[in-house]
Amino acid sequence: MTTQPDEHLRYPIGRFAKPSEYTSELFAQSINTIKTLPARLRAEVIKLTDAQLNTTYRPGGWTLKQVVHHLADSHMNALMRIKLALTEEHPSIKPYDEAGWANQIDYSLPVESSLKILEGIHQHMVALYESFDEAQWNRSFLHPERGVVYTIALSAAMYAWHSNHHLAHITETMKQWDK
Amino acid sequence: MTTQPDEHLRYPIGRFAKPSEYTSELFAQSINTIKTLPARLRAEVIKLTDAQLNTTYRPGGWTLKQVVHHLADSHMNALMRIKLALTEEHPSIKPYDEAGWANQIDYSLPVESSLKILEGIHQHMVALYESFDEAQWNRSFLHPERGVVYTIALSAAMYAWHSNHHLAHITETMKQWDK
Amino acid sequence: MTTQPDEHLRYPIGRFAKPSEYTSELFAQSINTIKTLPARLRAEVIKLTDAQLNTTYRPGGWTLKQVVHHLADSHMNALMRIKLALTEEHPSIKPYDEAGWANQIDYSLPVESSLKILEGIHQHMVALYESFDEAQWNRSFLHPERGVVYTIALSAAMYAWHSNHHLAHITETMKQWDK
Amino acid sequence: MTTQPDEHLRYPIGRFAKPSEYTSELFAQSINTIKTLPARLRAEVIKLTDAQLNTTYRPGGWTLKQVVHHLADSHMNALMRIKLALTEEHPSIKPYDEAGWANQIDYSLPVESSLKILEGIHQHMVALYESFDEAQWNRSFLHPERGVVYTIALSAAMYAWHSNHHLAHITETMKQWDK
C-alpha cells in the first residue's frame, strides 16, 4: 500500500485497520459510532451553503454533497449485506461502481433525502447489531471483486470507520474555510 | 398462473401486468405513484395502533408492520438496480430472500425508520426517472433467479404497482375493521 | 357575512360552520383529519416544482408555499392554545398577524421544514385529543381580538376544517393546471 | 440570586448571563448553536433506552424525555415571539406554565415528534436571524410576568444558552451512567 501525496486529505482519520480482536468494547464503540452518525452528519452539513456543499474535499475529489449521498448509498448496501449474510450461507454480494453512482443526477438533490435515508438505515443496522450473538457476528459474505471475506463483525468495524472517515472529509474541509 | 383461493386478499389491486407499450402518460403515472407513495403510506399507518400494526393482512401473511418494512427494503433494492443498470452493461443483480428478511429483528422496529427511508429513496428514484431519455429507460438488468430481463421502464411500472399493491394490503385490512 | 366574488377560490370546501352538537363521531372525524393532514399535504406538495410552489392560489392571495408555512405557524398556535386552555382557567390567548407573518423571510424556505413541524405538532395535538374526557373538551380560551370563546372541542372542529381548507387551496390550484 | 444546593445539576453550563455587548461574533455563535441543536440533541437521545429517557436529570426534576419535549414547546414559543416582535410594535407576549405543560400527556410521546418540530423550527429561526440588520435585532417584546424587555438580540443569546443548557442536562446525566 503506497502512501499518496494527498494522503492526509484522502484519509483524515487514517486508513481502515482490521481489528486484531473483537471485544464487546469494540462492538459497543462501533455501534455507538453508527448510531450517532446520521445526526452528527446533519449537525455539520446544516451549516453549509449550497456553494460550500458543491466544493470538493480535495482536488479532484467528490463534493461534500456527493460525500453525503455516497454515505446513503454505501450504507444502504451495508444494511443489505448484513441481511444477505443472515439469510444465506456465505453469499457473494453485488459490488457497485461507487464513482459511477456518484455521477448520477440524484447526487445533485439537496442532502435532506440522504440524511433521512441514513437516519432510517442506521436504526435498522443498530437494531440488528444489538441483537447479535457470537454466531451472528461471525456470519459472513464475500466481496467478489476485492476477493475479501467479511464477517458481519468486520463489516461493522469497517462501516463505523467509513462513517467517521467521510464525516471527517466534511469537517476537515470546513476547518480550512475557518482559517 | 393459478388463481389462489385468497386471491383477492393477496392481490387486492390485481396482479402486475406488463405494460403493452410505454407511453409518456404511463411514465408520468408511474412517477406520480412512486413520488407520492411514502406520504400516502404515512397517512394510513399513522392511524394504526401497535396492535393493528401487528395484525396480518391475510391468514398466514405478513403483519402490516412487516409490509411497511418490506417496502423500504424492496425499494432500496429497486433504487440500486436502477443505478446498477445505469452504470454497468446489463448487470445481473443480487436477489434476496424477502421472506427471510421479513423475519429479522429490525422488522419489529417502529415504522418511522422505514417511512423515512422511503421518503428519501423515492426522491432519488424520481429524480432519476424524471431525467431519463429513451436510451436510459431502455437500459436493463437481469434478475437471475426469475430469469427475467427488466428494462428500467418495466421496473418503474412494476415498482409503481408494487407501491399500490402493498398499500392496498394495509387499506383493505383497515376497511375490514371499520365494518 | 357577504359572499365574495371569488368565494369559491377563497373557500373551496365552504366556510367553517360551527358544529351544532359534539358527538363522538365528530370528534373521531376531526381527529382523523388532523392526524392525516401532514402526510396528505406532503403527498400533494411533493409533486410541485418551485415555480408552482411560488404561484398564488387566487389573484392577490398567498403562494402555495406560503400556504404550507402558514399551516405550520397556525397549527403551532393551535397546539399552544390547547395547552394554555388545559393549564390555565379560561386564558386569553395572543392573536398574531397572519398576513404579516406570511411576509417574513422564513416563508421563502423550502417546505420541508414546515412539513416536519406539522408532522410533529399534529402528533402532539392528536395525543392530547385522544386522551380527553368531556371536561377537557369543554375547557376554553378567549380569542380577544375576535371576541370569541373557543372550547377545545370547537377549536378541534375548526382546525380540522382549517387543515382541509388550505389543502384544498393547493389541490384546487393543481386541478386548474391539469386542464 | 441564591445558589441552590444542587446548582451544578440545575445549571450544568452555568446560569444565563446577559451579553454585555452584541457583536457579529456573538450573533454568529448564537446562530451556529441554534442551527445545530436539533441534530446534536438527536445524536445524544438516540443512544437512550426508554428506561433512560424516563429518568430524571436531578432529584425532583424532569425526565430526559420531558426535557426534549420542553425544548420543542419552548422554542416554538421562541419562534413566535420573534415573529410577534417583527410584526407588532413591542408586543406583550403570552407566557405559559412550563411545569404544567410538562405534565400533559403529549410529553409521554416518543421523542421523535419533538425532534422533528425542533428540526423545522430551528431552520425558521436561523433563516430569520441570518436576514436581520441592526434594526431588526433591536426589535423587542415584553415578557409581562417577568417584567423583562427582550430585544430579539437578547432572546437569540438566551435561546442559544437554553439549547445547550437542556442538552447538558441530558449529557451530564449520561456521564453519571458511564461511571
Side-chain angles (χ1 to χ4, degrees), chain A residues 42-155:
Chain A
R42 187 187 281 278
E44 298 301 334
V45 298
I46 206 169
K47 299 177 198 164
L48 303 177
T49 62
D50 277 351
Q52 291 173 321
L53 282 167
N54 289 321
T55 305
T56 61
Y57 75 91
R58 64 171 175 83
W62 285 338
T63 64
L64 302 192
K65 180 182 273 193
Q66 284 175 307
V67 169
V68 175
H69 289 309
H70 164 69
L71 276 167
D73 270 343
S74 168
H75 295 192
M76 233 186 271
N77 274 284
L79 176 57
M80 289 184 176
R81 290 167 187 187
I82 298 168
K83 295 202 202 191
L84 290 170
L86 290 171
T87 55
E88 301 179 25
E89 288 311 311
H90 194 51
S92 179
I93 58 85
K94 175 80 182 105
Y96 68 100
D97 170 9
E98 61 181 45
W101 286 30
N103 289 325
Q104 300 306 310
I105 208 161
D106 61 323
Y107 274 54
S108 60
L109 282 171
V111 295
E112 179 67 28
S113 59
S114 284
L115 293 175
K116 281 189 182 173
I117 292 171
L118 286 163
E119 282 175 15
I121 282 176
H122 283 228
Q123 278 189 268
H124 284 253
M125 291 170 78
V126 167
L128 291 165
Y129 289 146
E130 289 185 338
S131 75
F132 287 165
D133 58 20
E134 199 182 333
Q136 288 166 313
W137 281 117
N138 284 325
R139 294 190 68 88
S140 61
F141 59 84
L142 172 69
H143 192 299
E145 283 183 5
R146 294 185 197 151
V148 176
V149 169
Y150 289 90
T151 59
I152 293 180
L154 172 56
S155 83

Side-chain angles (χ1 to χ4, degrees), chain D residues 12 26 43 58 66 68 75 84 102 116 124 134 137-138 144 155 178:
Chain D
L26 175 67
R58 64 175 174 81
Q66 284 175 306
V68 176
H75 295 192
L84 291 170
K116 281 190 184 173
H124 283 254
E134 200 181 333
W137 282 117
N138 284 326
S155 84
D178 287 342

Side-chain angles (χ1 to χ4, degrees), chain C residues 72-93:
Chain C
D73 270 343
S74 168
H75 295 192
M76 232 187 274
N77 275 283
L79 176 58
M80 290 187 174
R81 289 166 188 188
I82 298 168
K83 296 202 201 191
L84 291 170
L86 290 171
T87 54
E88 302 179 24
E89 288 311 310
H90 193 52
S92 179
I93 59 84

Side-chain angles (χ1 to χ4, degrees), chain B residues 52-103:
Chain B
Q52 290 173 322
L53 282 167
N54 290 320
T55 305
T56 61
Y57 74 92
R58 64 175 175 82
W62 284 338
T63 64
L64 302 191
K65 181 182 272 194
Q66 283 174 307
V67 169
V68 175
H69 289 310
H70 163 69
L71 276 166
D73 270 342
S74 168
H75 295 193
M76 231 186 274
N77 274 283
L79 176 58
M80 289 186 175
R81 290 166 187 188
I82 298 168
K83 297 203 203 192
L84 290 170
L86 290 172
T87 55
E88 301 179 25
E89 288 311 312
H90 193 53
S92 179
I93 59 85
K94 175 80 182 104
Y96 68 100
D97 171 9
E98 62 181 45
W101 285 30
N103 289 326

Side-chain angles (χ1 to χ4, degrees), chain B residues 4-15:
Chain B
Q4 307 222 2
D6 56 355
E7 181 79 10
H8 63 294
L9 291 177
R10 287 178 184 266
Y11 298 99
I13 64 166
R15 298 199 185 207

